[in-house]
Amino acid sequence: MFDKSQLLKGTLEGCILKTLSKEPMYAYGAIEYLRKKGFTDLTEGTIYPLLLRLEKQGLIRSELRESAVGPKRKYYLITEAGRQYLDEFEREYCALEKIVKSIMEE
Protein backbone atom coordinates (compact mmCIF):
# COMPACT_ATOMS: atom_id res chain seq x y z
CA MET A 1 0.00 0.00 0.00
CA PHE A 2 1.27 3.46 -0.92
CA ASP A 3 2.34 5.70 2.00
CA LYS A 4 1.32 9.23 1.00
CA SER A 5 2.89 10.73 4.13
CA GLN A 6 6.40 10.11 2.82
CA LEU A 7 5.57 11.89 -0.42
CA LEU A 8 4.17 14.90 1.44
CA LYS A 9 6.93 15.21 4.03
CA GLY A 10 9.29 17.59 2.20
CA THR A 11 6.62 19.13 0.00
CA LEU A 12 4.64 20.38 2.98
CA GLU A 13 7.64 22.34 4.28
CA GLY A 14 7.79 24.30 1.04
CA CYS A 15 4.04 24.86 1.05
CA ILE A 16 4.12 26.19 4.62
CA LEU A 17 6.95 28.57 3.76
CA LYS A 18 5.11 29.75 0.65
CA THR A 19 1.95 30.31 2.71
CA LEU A 20 3.84 32.33 5.32
CA SER A 21 5.63 34.32 2.61
CA LYS A 22 2.25 35.82 1.67
CA GLU A 23 1.32 36.86 5.20
CA PRO A 24 2.02 35.91 8.81
CA MET A 25 -0.44 33.33 10.15
CA TYR A 26 -1.18 31.46 13.31
CA ALA A 27 -0.97 27.66 13.09
CA TYR A 28 -4.66 26.94 12.76
CA GLY A 29 -5.06 29.65 10.13
CA ALA A 30 -2.27 28.05 8.11
CA ILE A 31 -3.91 24.64 8.46
CA GLU A 32 -7.24 25.98 7.23
CA TYR A 33 -5.57 27.73 4.28
CA LEU A 34 -3.74 24.56 3.25
CA ARG A 35 -6.90 22.47 3.62
CA LYS A 36 -8.75 24.87 1.30
CA LYS A 37 -5.93 24.46 -1.22
CA GLY A 38 -6.33 20.67 -1.22
CA PHE A 39 -4.44 19.27 1.77
CA THR A 40 -7.72 17.92 3.15
CA ASP A 41 -6.13 15.30 5.44
CA LEU A 42 -3.86 17.80 7.16
CA THR A 43 -3.94 17.66 10.96
CA GLU A 44 -2.61 19.73 13.81
CA GLY A 45 -0.36 16.79 14.70
CA THR A 46 1.39 17.23 11.36
CA ILE A 47 1.68 21.02 11.31
CA TYR A 48 2.79 21.86 14.85
CA PRO A 49 5.96 19.70 14.77
CA LEU A 50 6.73 21.05 11.29
CA LEU A 51 6.41 24.66 12.47
CA LEU A 52 8.63 23.91 15.45
CA ARG A 53 11.27 22.34 13.20
CA LEU A 54 11.19 25.27 10.75
CA GLU A 55 11.53 27.69 13.65
CA LYS A 56 14.51 25.79 15.10
CA GLN A 57 16.14 25.93 11.65
CA GLY A 58 15.66 29.71 11.57
CA LEU A 59 13.39 29.58 8.50
CA ILE A 60 10.44 31.07 10.37
CA ARG A 61 9.97 32.94 13.63
CA SER A 62 6.99 33.41 15.89
CA GLU A 63 5.50 36.29 17.82
CA LEU A 64 2.45 36.69 20.03
CA ARG A 65 -0.24 38.99 18.69
CA GLU A 66 -3.51 40.23 20.11
CA SER A 67 -6.64 38.40 19.04
CA ALA A 68 -10.09 39.92 18.72
CA VAL A 69 -11.69 36.70 19.96
CA GLY A 70 -9.64 35.63 22.95
CA PRO A 71 -6.09 35.26 24.19
CA LYS A 72 -3.04 36.26 22.18
CA ARG A 73 -2.15 34.01 19.26
CA LYS A 74 1.25 32.81 18.16
CA TYR A 75 1.80 34.03 14.61
CA TYR A 76 4.50 32.61 12.35
CA LEU A 77 6.51 34.77 9.96
CA ILE A 78 9.01 33.71 7.33
CA THR A 79 12.60 34.91 7.87
CA GLU A 80 15.11 36.00 5.24
CA ALA A 81 16.74 32.56 5.52
CA GLY A 82 13.28 31.07 4.99
CA ARG A 83 12.79 33.13 1.82
CA GLN A 84 16.12 31.93 0.47
CA TYR A 85 15.22 28.33 1.32
CA LEU A 86 11.82 28.80 -0.36
CA ASP A 87 13.46 30.10 -3.55
CA GLU A 88 15.69 27.04 -3.69
CA PHE A 89 12.79 24.73 -2.87
CA GLU A 90 10.69 26.16 -5.70
CA ARG A 91 13.51 25.72 -8.23
CA GLU A 92 14.24 22.16 -7.14
CA TYR A 93 10.58 21.17 -6.86
CA CYS A 94 9.76 22.46 -10.34
CA ALA A 95 12.73 20.59 -11.83
CA LEU A 96 11.73 17.38 -10.06
CA GLU A 97 8.10 17.80 -11.09
CA LYS A 98 9.15 17.99 -14.77
CA ILE A 99 11.22 14.81 -14.45
CA VAL A 100 8.47 12.83 -12.70
CA LYS A 101 5.82 14.08 -15.13
CA SER A 102 7.99 13.08 -18.09
CA ILE A 103 8.41 9.57 -16.71
CA MET A 104 4.75 9.15 -15.74
CA GLU A 105 3.51 10.27 -19.16
CA GLU A 106 5.53 7.66 -21.05
Side-chain angles (χ1 to χ4, degrees):
M1 181 169 201
F2 180 72
D3 183 3
K4 187 167 100 174
S5 66
Q6 290 302 312
L7 184 62
L8 291 177
K9 197 172 185 179
T11 305
L12 197 50
E13 282 186 2
C15 291
I16 287 285
L17 290 172
K18 184 66 174 183
T19 300
L20 296 178
S21 75
K22 297 172 189 249
E23 66 178 292
M25 290 186 181
Y26 57 99
Y28 192 74
I31 291 168
E32 286 299 302
Y33 175 81
L34 292 169
R35 283 179 179 158
K36 286 178 187 173
K37 290 295 189 177
F39 284 102
T40 54
D41 297 337
L42 198 58
T43 66
E44 289 86 356
T46 302
I47 289 296
Y48 285 105
L50 176 58
L51 289 169
L52 182 61
R53 188 170 63 249
L54 292 172
E55 192 168 19
K56 283 183 177 180
Q57 293 172 336
L59 302 178
I60 64 173
R61 65 180 180 85
S62 62
E63 62 183 37
L64 290 176
R65 292 187 179 180
E66 295 293 332
S67 171
V69 293
K72 290 182 179 183
R73 290 185 173 161
K74 188 181 214 180
Y75 275 75
Y76 294 91
L77 303 87
I78 192 168
T79 63
E80 186 55 39
R83 290 186 189 283
Q84 291 172 6
Y85 182 93
L86 177 60
D87 289 343
E88 186 176 340
F89 172 85
E90 287 182 287
R91 279 192 306 276
E92 294 299 323
Y93 183 84
C94 288
L96 179 61
E97 180 185 35
K98 287 178 187 177
I99 293 167
V100 171
K101 188 174 183 178
S102 171
I103 293 169
M104 293 298 162
E105 289 178 344
E106 286 184 348

